Amino acid sequence: MSKAIPLVATYRLQLRDGVDLDKARELLPWLATLGISHLYLSPPFHAASGSTHGYDVIDPTRIDPVLGGEAAFQRLSGAAQRAGIGIIVDIVPNHMAFTPENPWLADVLRHGRGSAHAAIFDIDWDAGPLHFPVLDGAIEDLLAQGHLAPAGDADDPRLRVYDREYPLRPNDLSRHLCGVTRTLDAPTLDALLAEQHWSLGDWRTSADRITHRRFFNVTDLIGVLQEDPEVFALTHRWIIEQVEAGHIQGLRVDHVDGLARPGGYLQRLRDAVGDTPIWVEKIVKTGEDFPSAWPVEGMSGYEFMTPLTRLLTSREGLATMRETSIDAVPPDYGREVRKVRRELLEQVFTPELRRVAGAALTALALDEGARAQVSEAVGRLATVWPFYRSYAADLAPLSPAITQAIDGLTEDTTVASLIGLLRAPDDPHARAFAVRFEQLTGALTAKSEEDTVFFRSVAFLPLCEVGAEPDLGVIDDATFAAGMAKRADRTPLALDTLSTHDTKRSADARAVLVALSHFPDFARELYTDARQRGREAGVSEQWALYALQTALMLRAEPDAPERINAHVAKAMREGKDLSRHEAPNTAAEAAIAQLCRALHHGLATGELLPDRLRGDFEAAIETIALAQTALQLTAPGIPDIYQGSEGLAVALTDPDNRRPVDWGALALGQLPALAARKLELTRILLTQRQERPDLFTCGTYALRTDEDSWIVERTGEGEAFSVHIPMPKRHSADCLKDVRAVD
């Protein structure tokens, strides 16, 4: 392994969409001038055709050719070593792409559970063949339209379905069809499909036939059995080789909560990569932490964003926004979440619920006659589960928060029996149930909260964010400082992030709404006006408030109208009340988008943002944006800068947050005033971190107020640093007012 590079700051780069590994290599000089110590890459592995993000891996043992392949990675690694910059790679152990493009899965399609690769994937073979709900209509109609046809040849028989080719069992029928006749009629197709280890169905009606573990409810992703040491060795072979060769200096583990036993997986990974830093993508609620036994540097930073937002938000303004939203948004966040969870269990997570109930039946030694009763008990328990998972599968005890949340259900004897299974460390069937239940609760929590109710409980969108909750309140500087002190003590190398590829809105977008909270009277006027416009347009007042906040965030973006159209459609489908991904209501989406564009126009022309307020409001936005940056770059932990956010980056939910970055403009300084000041502040503070890395990661942390500023003070080992950060009420943004370093 190469000599360790001191951790100062990471820079998250999204590969694909015009950014390959050679482009990453070209950016190294820019990162060096910023003061970045580590380039943090999104997954570079061979992914499904047309992948825009890389999390749909088809082969984790090779670099994707579209990114330049292995040669490009070696060029990048060599250049990074010469520049003194480390490489962090985002790895995806939980799942792979569920597509016949996946060579290991293709072999499973051909040979079934007898395939040499069948043990890689989490498949319930007892529930039936692997099911692909990919058809858009009746199979006989699609055959007549030419969407299904023989492919390959007698030695490699396949069935073409749309633009994908599915391997067939090599028998007389498939060889004859693909090698001789090359034609297919409906009776023959029925006979052919009946012989396969997989099946096809309409995506609208056959999802309950799915037999593989999905990532959340994404059918195109299949779970991987990392608890098997041989599977771990195979899927991590390339990663371990690159770490040992000194080409990788850090790993970020995607979706650790999806794994059967995260603690065991992380220990195996630690044993394989030695002291190479490991971070986990883990989402925690307020008051929750990840298990202390995990051998990792920390989490990937969501837990840092929420306290910072709560510190910067005005208590009075937040109360005003919530008061002015009454009767437009759900009145009780927790109740709304529970309602959505029940709906998802009944309509979306039916395959997962079936598997959990089956594991419970086995563990409780019950027959199929008890399935309905057990399924109901699982649903009741999962509906009130307060966290993503309990780690009972890793033999961790149930936390007091979980015990409190489920207390009202224990009178139900079946629910009580399920809880008993979670507390039964020596029973292998109980452990199997715990794994399945926790994989369900993680997915259910994410889909019900982040991907549904965060688009309904919209009184204040900065708290509708990964790691936050819409009903949280503000915190004072003492509470924030105590959290940072704990962070310095427990996870001094955890990542501190403000924006990621998964945040609903970037830090600079959230800053606009946080600034609005410091103008409560103005906020009341805007919210009241938006609701009135919604009524007049005959659209949902809830979505009118969402449209207003979106228009505010995009108020200065020249391409706002086009981005509004795309974002509103996605947001409404995520919200699942007026529109859904499965059944888009394009008329409702168009009406809300039109309202959003009208509000955006009103903000631009002065109708909604009068000149008497514009200067103070823009100054407050600048103050918040720079305060976020200053607090991030001076906090314990390792700052993680999302691509382009070293300047001004106003972005909404992906794919909006993966738009191209103009690094040329950043390097040349061709920037608006706020972007230029933010870039200057970033460089200055990262220089301070470079000069005193131990002080900033491990030194003591204090935050106090002095008239109209926060003062951050860091001390340790004979070194000291302080910075004054103006508060929003100043309507000023001079974060460089007083930066002092004392040796």
Side-chain angles (χ1 to χ4, degrees), residues 22-79:
D22 285 326
K23 176 62 178 179
R25 179 167 51 87
E26 294 171 6
L27 290 174
L28 291 173
W30 170 247
L31 302 184
T33 65
L34 279 180
I36 297 297
S37 64
H38 288 69
L39 172 60
Y40 162 21
L41 300 172
S42 66
F45 308 104
H46 196 185
S49 297
S51 175
T52 59
H53 48 71
Y55 290 93
D56 44 358
V57 176
I58 63 173
D59 188 347
T61 68
R62 61 190 293 241
I63 296 294
D64 201 325
V66 304
L67 300 177
E70 189 69 25
F73 182 80
Q74 297 305 322
R75 289 193 294 270
L76 170 62
S77 173

Side-chain angles (χ1 to χ4, degrees), residues 507-729:
D508 290 328
R510 298 193 303 270
V512 178
L513 302 180
V514 172
L516 180 63
S517 75
H518 292 270
F519 295 80
D521 292 338
F522 181 41
R524 187 186 302 277
E525 291 178 10
L526 287 177
Y527 275 45
T528 301
D529 177 78
R531 292 186 64 173
Q532 177 62 31
R533 288 174 182 243
R535 288 193 294 271
E536 292 173 355
V539 300
S540 160
E541 293 181 46
Q542 168 192 307
W543 284 104
L545 292 176
Y546 190 95
L548 168 67
Q549 293 173 78
T550 301
L552 269 168
M553 290 184 285
L554 296 179
R555 78 206 181 288
E557 299 293 294
D559 54 354
E562 296 78 16
R563 291 167 65 186
I564 283 170
N565 292 342
H567 175 71
V568 165
K570 177 170 183 177
M572 293 184 69
R573 294 172 194 183
E574 294 283 86
K576 305 177 186 64
D577 49 3
L578 300 183
S579 187
R580 290 174 175 264
H581 289 288
E582 302 85 354
N585 183 339
T586 55
E589 293 167 2
I592 297 299
Q594 181 178 359
L595 175 59
C596 188
R597 294 193 302 272
L599 290 164
H600 181 268
H601 180 74
L603 292 165
T605 60
E607 176 190 357
L608 296 178
L609 181 54
D611 290 341
R612 62 182 172 81
L613 281 177
R614 187 177 296 273
D616 285 347
F617 184 52
E618 294 295 337
I621 294 170
E622 189 169 342
T623 299
I624 293 291
L626 295 183
Q628 288 181 143
T629 301
L631 288 164
Q632 177 198 27
L633 299 183
T634 57
I638 305 301
D640 173 41
I641 297 174
Y642 186 66
Q643 60 178 29
S645 65
E646 63 269 38
L648 190 66
V650 175
L652 307 175
T653 306
D654 106 292
D656 191 75
N657 60 16
R658 289 189 274 113
R659 290 175 300 116
V661 176
D662 189 348
W663 282 288
L666 286 165
L668 294 173
Q670 299 171 346
L671 304 170
L674 174 53
R677 299 197 71 189
K678 186 180 175 191
L679 178 57
E680 179 188 12
L681 176 63
T682 298
R683 281 176 164 153
I684 289 173
L685 292 178
L686 287 183
T687 297
Q688 295 289 332
R689 294 191 74 108
Q690 282 183 320
E691 294 174 354
R692 303 166 177 81
D694 292 339
L695 172 66
F696 282 96
T697 54
C698 305
T700 63
Y701 182 92
L703 179 68
R704 59 184 177 86
T705 58
D706 178 16
E707 296 180 356
D708 50 10
S709 294
W710 285 295
I711 302 173
V712 172
E713 296 175 332
R714 305 299 308 274
T715 58
E717 298 296 326
E719 295 182 319
F721 167 91
S722 67
V723 60
H724 285 235
I725 305 170
M727 293 180 173
K729 64 183 180 182

Side-chain angles (χ1 to χ4, degrees), residues 144-380:
Q145 295 163 12
H147 295 306
L148 290 87
D153 54 35
D155 295 326
D156 180 20
R158 297 171 179 266
L159 178 69
R160 179 179 59 78
V161 182
Y162 299 116
D163 59 349
R164 292 181 176 178
E165 295 185 359
Y166 292 72
L168 296 167
R169 294 180 71 175
N171 58 19
D172 291 344
L173 177 58
S174 64
R175 290 191 179 101
H176 181 74
L177 284 172
C178 298
V180 180
T181 67
R182 309 294 297 179
T183 59
L184 189 61
D185 57 28
T188 305
L189 176 60
D190 289 342
L192 180 72
L193 291 175
E195 296 178 343
Q196 304 312 313
H197 300 291
W198 48 270
S199 61
L200 300 172
D202 192 304
W203 64 270
R204 300 174 189 84
T205 59
S206 71
D208 60 347
R209 292 164 54 192
I210 290 167
T211 61
H212 68 278
R213 176 169 62 86
R214 301 181 288 181
F215 168 74
F216 294 171
N217 64 329
V218 182
T219 300
D220 284 345
L221 297 173
I222 182 171
V224 174
L225 295 170
Q226 292 292 352
E227 58 270 34
D228 184 331
E230 293 185 5
V231 173
F232 176 91
L234 174 63
T235 57
H236 290 69
R237 182 181 64 208
W238 183 90
I239 296 162
I240 295 168
E241 289 174 352
Q242 300 307 313
V243 169
E244 291 176 343
H247 300 152
I248 291 176
Q249 287 74 38
L251 300 170
R252 182 262 197 187
V253 179
D254 178 68
H255 189 48
V256 70
D257 274 349
L259 299 170
R261 293 178 176 83
Y265 166 83
L266 292 170
Q267 187 59 60
R268 184 173 287 124
L269 182 62
R270 172 58 69 203
D271 293 342
V273 302
D275 59 2
T276 300
I278 300 171
W279 295 274
V280 293
E281 183 202 28
K282 166 66 186 161
I283 301 169
V284 294
K285 301 292 191 72
T286 300
E288 185 191 10
D289 209 338
F290 71 91
S292 59
W294 285 4
V296 299
E297 272 57 39
M299 295 180 280
S300 56
Y302 296 124
E303 75 287 354
F304 175 79
M305 296 190 308
T306 299
L308 185 55
T309 296
R310 298 173 71 189
L311 172 69
L312 294 171
T313 299
S314 162
R315 188 182 306 274
E316 180 184 0
L318 179 59
T320 297
M321 292 172 173
R322 286 173 170 165
E323 176 188 331
T324 318
S325 301
I326 289 175
D327 298 329
V329 302
D332 186 318
Y333 170 69
R335 184 183 305 150
E336 190 73 8
V337 167
R338 292 189 293 274
K339 181 181 78 172
V340 170
R341 288 186 182 187
R342 292 300 304 190
E343 293 171 353
L344 291 173
L345 285 169
E346 294 169 1
Q347 302 170 13
V348 175
F349 288 110
T350 50
E352 289 74 17
L353 182 57
R354 182 185 67 235
R355 294 189 79 176
V356 177
L361 288 172
T362 300
L364 296 173
L366 298 174
D367 59 29
E368 279 295 316
R371 178 175 286 274
Q373 179 181 351
V374 169
S375 294
E376 174 60 23
V378 170
R380 293 185 66 196

Side-chain angles (χ1 to χ4, degrees), residues 80-93:
Q81 289 181 38
R82 292 189 292 273
I85 292 176
I87 300 290
I88 297 169
V89 173
D90 193 347
I91 65 174
V92 192

